[in-house]
Amino acid sequence: MKLHPLFLAIALPFLASCTTSSSQQKTAAETAADTSVYGRVTATRDGIGKTYYGREIAHVMGFGGASWLERDERQEEENTALAISKLPIKASSVVADIGAGTGYYTFRIAPKVPQGKVFAVDVQDESVQFLRKKAGQLGLKNVEVVKGDAKSPNLPDASVDLAIMVDVYHELEYPHEMLQNLRKVLKADGKILLLEYRKEDPSIPIKELHKLSVAQANKEMAASGFRLIQRGDFLPIQHFLLYQKE
């Protein structure tokens, strides 16, 4: 499989964030909370110096990487069509695409939930504007664009059947808070899907902090009350990890 050259650039610390911003001002209370939940290390080139269960959180990829998200080779490299075909959804499902970016997944999922909805959630203004414009151009009435923040998707409680994070989770600046808030927005039987580059495979040409192992994912998800119910090994370079509330 021939990989796009930008695969090697995914870990660059873009200043504009698709998911979170580490430059936000923190109150004393927030700093104290950070200390109790997160650790600190000397930041590596590709990380922010903040750790969660021993994992240094990666720099985010901002909207400057939009062309990489929309690259022609993505289907060949990641088999996105197969990933979408395996989603546990039906026509009436409500899906939340967290860190939607350019909506690569959002706009491919929307036709599969004609009686449902896709929330396209992002924190970056450029992304939110792009998503709204494209949803209008495509005439997709069941796509709702939402501006989230670093700790919450800002969605209604008990409104979502499936929340997906495609190569996003490892970049969340506040994974603990985000997962706690996702618990609230999921329905009783709601699920979270993580698609993450496989850290266990050194041959995948992605920077290490932008990969995630199953063991690490399970540890972090369990801390917020989620258990793994499906591990799919059918994608070329990514884990397909489906979680449900305990």
Side-chain angles (χ1 to χ4, degrees), residues 48-187:
I48 66 173
K50 180 177 178 179
T51 64
Y52 188 53
Y53 282 89
R55 173 185 63 86
E56 185 182 6
I57 295 169
H59 277 295
V60 297
M61 186 183 73
F63 199 74
S67 61
W68 181 81
L69 297 174
E70 294 291 331
R71 66 194 185 280
D72 292 338
E73 299 87 351
R74 189 168 181 181
Q75 165 58 29
E76 176 190 353
E77 293 164 354
E78 299 181 4
N79 203 342
T80 54
L82 178 60
I84 291 171
S85 75
K86 297 289 187 179
L87 297 180
I89 55 175
K90 55 187 178 181
S92 59
S93 294
V94 177
V95 179
D97 185 2
I98 309 298
T102 60
Y104 186 93
Y105 269 76
T106 291
F107 298 122
R108 286 163 173 79
I109 294 172
K112 297 183 178 298
V113 291
Q115 284 84 54
K117 176 186 288 190
V118 180
F119 289 114
V121 182
D122 210 286
V123 302
Q124 187 182 352
D125 288 335
E126 286 178 285
S127 180
V128 168
Q129 293 165 8
F130 180 91
L131 290 163
R132 286 178 177 157
K133 181 178 180 181
K134 188 167 182 178
Q137 291 173 338
L138 295 174
L140 292 172
K141 303 297 184 182
N142 65 337
V143 171
E144 181 175 339
V145 181
V146 177
K147 186 172 183 182
D149 61 47
K151 297 181 179 180
S152 174
N154 293 337
L155 297 175
D157 287 355
S159 63
V160 172
D161 294 295
L162 176 68
I164 68 169
M165 286 184 269
V166 182
D167 304 321
V168 164
Y169 177 77
H170 67 274
E171 297 178 349
L172 294 177
E173 186 181 357
Y174 293 95
H176 177 77
E177 290 84 350
M178 181 62 77
L179 288 175
Q180 292 300 312
N181 283 311
L182 282 173
R183 279 187 65 86
K184 297 176 184 177
V185 308
L186 288 176
K187 297 178 182 179

Side-chain angles (χ1 to χ4, degrees), residues 25-38 151 174 177:
Q25 294 294 319
K26 295 185 178 67
T27 65
E30 288 173 329
T31 301
D34 268 11
T35 303
S36 66
V37 176
Y38 303 103
K151 297 181 179 180
Y174 293 95
E177 290 84 350

Side-chain angles (χ1 to χ4, degrees), residues 202-223:
S203 70
I204 296 172
I206 296 291
K207 299 290 183 68
E208 285 302 301
L209 291 190
H210 289 265
K211 298 179 182 181
L212 189 65
S213 71
V214 175
Q216 185 69 32
N218 286 347
K219 183 191 305 182
E220 296 184 23
M221 295 296 287

